[in-house]
Amino acid sequence: MNLEALREATRAQMPEKRWTHTLGVVDTALELTSRFGGDPAKAELAALLHDYAKAWPILRQEQVIREQGLPKELLDYGKELWHAHVGAWVVRHEHGIEDEEVLNAIRYHTSGRENMTHLEKIVCLADYIEPGRDYPGVHKIRQLAEHNLDEALTAGLDSTIGLLLERGECIFPLTVLARNDLIRRRKQKE
C-alpha cells in the first residue's frame, strides 16, 4: 500500500481533531529527524500510523488484545496505552507493514521502553510536542527538543509519570524503565 492510501485509511479511523494531531506528529517527527538524524521515510510512516487505533472503541481494542495475543498486562493499566499495541498489530495485519522498526515506533510511542531505537524516540517525542499539544511543561520539553533528543524525551516521560502520580494511577512499568534507561545512558556519557 502506498503512503497516500495509508494516509486515507488512517484518516478514516479518526475524528478530525485526532487527524490534525496526527498531521502535527508527522510534521514534528520529520523536523526532529532533520535535527537529530534518522530515516525521514520511516519517521513519516510511523508518525502517520501511530494513532491508527486510538479512536476505536475500547471494547474493540480490548478484543484485539485478548484475541491476537498482545500483552495481557496492558489490560491492567490505563486504556490510553492500548491503542499503540493494537495499532501496530492492525497496520501489520491489515496494511502489510512489516518493518519492525516502524511497528515498534508505533507500539511504544505511548509508553517508551528500555533501549529505545532512534526512531522510537523520534515518534514518542513528536507525539509529546506536536504544535497542538498544550499541557503543563510542554514548552520546556519543546525547548529541550531544540538541542537534545534524550533530555526532551526524559522530560516528556517525567510529565507522564507526574500526571499519573497526581491522579493516583498505576504507572506502566515500561515507562519507568524507559526513563531510567535514558538517565543511565546520559550519566554514562558524562
Side-chain angles (χ1 to χ4, degrees):
M1 183 175 277
N2 68 34
L3 191 60
E4 194 51 44
L6 282 172
R7 196 177 291 278
E8 289 309 312
T10 302
R11 186 177 192 166
Q13 300 300 313
M14 54 188 64
E16 194 61 31
K17 185 176 180 181
R18 179 59 45 185
W19 177 242
T20 300
H21 161 75
T22 297
L23 294 177
V25 174
V26 169
D27 290 344
T28 304
L30 289 171
E31 185 179 310
L32 291 170
T33 301
S34 174
R35 187 175 301 144
F36 298 113
D39 183 331
K42 286 185 179 193
E44 181 176 16
L45 182 60
L48 175 67
L49 299 172
H50 85 283
D51 272 353
Y52 192 88
K54 175 82 173 181
W56 285 18
I58 290 301
L59 290 176
R60 184 176 178 193
Q61 292 182 47
E62 182 179 357
Q63 181 180 9
V64 172
I65 291 168
R66 290 186 187 284
E67 292 178 3
Q68 302 308 326
L70 301 182
K72 297 284 189 279
E73 64 267 16
L74 287 168
L75 301 173
D76 297 329
Y77 294 91
K79 293 172 178 65
E80 296 82 10
L81 293 168
W82 299 3
H83 75 279
H85 286 262
V86 171
W89 187 90
V90 170
V91 300
R92 166 178 264 157
H93 292 89
E94 291 186 9
H95 296 295
I97 304 299
E98 294 292 334
D99 187 320
E100 280 302 319
E101 193 176 8
V102 169
L103 293 170
N104 282 335
I106 297 166
R107 188 176 290 119
Y108 298 111
H109 83 271
T110 57
S111 65
R113 67 172 177 160
E114 280 185 296
N115 300 311
M116 289 177 78
T117 66
H118 189 72
L119 180 62
E120 289 170 22
K121 292 175 183 180
I122 292 283
V123 174
C124 187
L125 182 59
D127 191 33
Y128 274 120
I129 65 169
E130 65 90 1
R133 291 289 199 196
D134 185 23
Y135 57 87
V138 71
H139 298 297
K140 176 187 172 198
I141 300 168
R142 286 185 182 123
Q143 286 175 335
L144 290 169
E146 292 292 322
H147 308 287
N148 192 304
L149 179 65
D150 287 357
E151 285 184 26
L153 185 54
T154 302
L157 294 168
D158 285 350
S159 75
T160 295
I161 291 168
L163 179 66
L164 293 171
L165 288 171
E166 219 174 86
R167 292 179 179 173
E169 294 182 22
C170 293
I171 300 167
F172 194 56
L174 285 184
T175 304
V176 175
L177 292 172
R179 179 191 180 274
N180 290 347
D181 186 54
L182 288 166
I183 290 170
R184 253 187 244 107
R185 289 172 187 272
R186 185 176 73 229
K187 287 184 177 185
Q188 287 172 353
K189 290 179 184 176
E190 292 174 354

